[in-house]
């Protein structure tokens, strides 16, 4: 490769990494202004619907990301067990759907069949990107909950 070509390539790479760190989250080529995560929590051995397990109302669910010990966002489940966590993405806020997850800290006093310690965690799946006048919203749903000892 000629020097001018490699210089050009390195410049492109630098611009790409620079813009991703200063312009927040880009998904499917769209700049994301906020994220919305929707899911349902049941009172069962693992938080998922098993047989006729009842929905769990009034439980706190948190959005956590690997490598960050701060709580990024949280919500309470409604009487149908449904939660929606909405978080605005600031340029400085690191959010990577692959390393972020929904977390329910255990124990939960109102559900005695949950494991006694650790947490229930669920991964995030992108459903759609909703384009609004106020910015793009990345609409996620949660995968199955799994018990984690962390
Ligand atoms: C957002 O995701 C939910 C599933 O979590 C889905 O039911 C809903 O239709 C989606 N909204 C839009 C506007 O795509």
């Amino acid at each position: 490769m000629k020097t001018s070509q490699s210089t050009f390539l390195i410049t492109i790479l630098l611009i790409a990494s620079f813009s991703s760190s200063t312009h927040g989250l880009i998904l499917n080529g769209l700049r994301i202004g906020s994220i919305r995560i929707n899911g349902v929590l049941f009172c069962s051995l693992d938080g998922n619907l098993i047989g006729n397990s009842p929905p769990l109302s009034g439980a706190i669910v948190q959005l956590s990301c690997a490598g960050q010990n701060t709580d990024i966002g949280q919500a309470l489940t409604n009487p149908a067990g449904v939660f929606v966590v909405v978080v605005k993405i600031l340029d400085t806020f690191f959010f990577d759907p692959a390393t972020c997850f929904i977390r329910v800290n255990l124990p939960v006093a109102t559900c005695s069949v949950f494991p006694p310690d650790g947490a229930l965690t669920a991964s995030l799946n992108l459903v759609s990107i909703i384009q609004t006048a106020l910015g793009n919203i990345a609409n996620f749903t949660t995968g199955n909950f799994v018990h984690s000892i962390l």
Side-chain angles (χ1 to χ4, degrees):
M1 193 184 286
K2 286 187 217 143
T3 313
S4 61
Q5 275 179 326
S6 53
T7 307
F8 179 68
L9 253 185
I10 288 167
T11 308
I12 299 252
L13 289 175
L14 282 177
I15 291 171
S17 59
F18 190 66
S19 52
S20 68
S21 65
T22 55
H23 294 281
L25 178 66
I26 309 279
L27 290 174
N28 297 352
L30 295 168
R31 181 173 177 183
I32 303 302
S34 54
I35 57 174
R36 174 191 180 279
I37 302 157
N38 181 218
V40 192
L41 182 65
F42 291 90
C43 182
S44 67
L45 284 173
D46 59 7
N48 303 301
L49 177 62
I50 301 175
N52 58 359
S53 44
L56 183 59
S57 178
I60 299 170
V61 300
Q62 303 175 334
L63 174 63
S64 300
C65 295
Q68 302 204 313
N69 48 16
T70 53
D71 210 3
I72 296 160
Q74 57 173 241
L76 274 183
T77 58
N78 75 9
V82 172
F83 58 86
V84 180
V85 179
V86 176
V87 181
K88 219 167 144 43
I89 301 214
L90 306 172
D91 280 350
T92 51
F93 161 53
F94 173 79
F95 173 81
D96 175 359
T99 61
C100 296
F101 51 91
I102 286 291
R103 175 185 179 98
V104 178
N105 288 324
L106 299 175
V108 174
T110 49
C111 179
S112 58
V113 299
F114 277 169
D117 50 22
L120 300 175
T121 62
S123 61
L124 309 181
N125 303 314
L126 183 63
V127 177
S128 55
I129 295 175
I130 306 162
Q131 301 188 50
T132 76
L134 297 176
N136 298 321
I137 303 166
N139 188 25
F140 289 90
T141 187
T142 47
N144 277 341
F145 281 99
V146 294
H147 182 222
S148 130
I149 53 166
L150 294 174

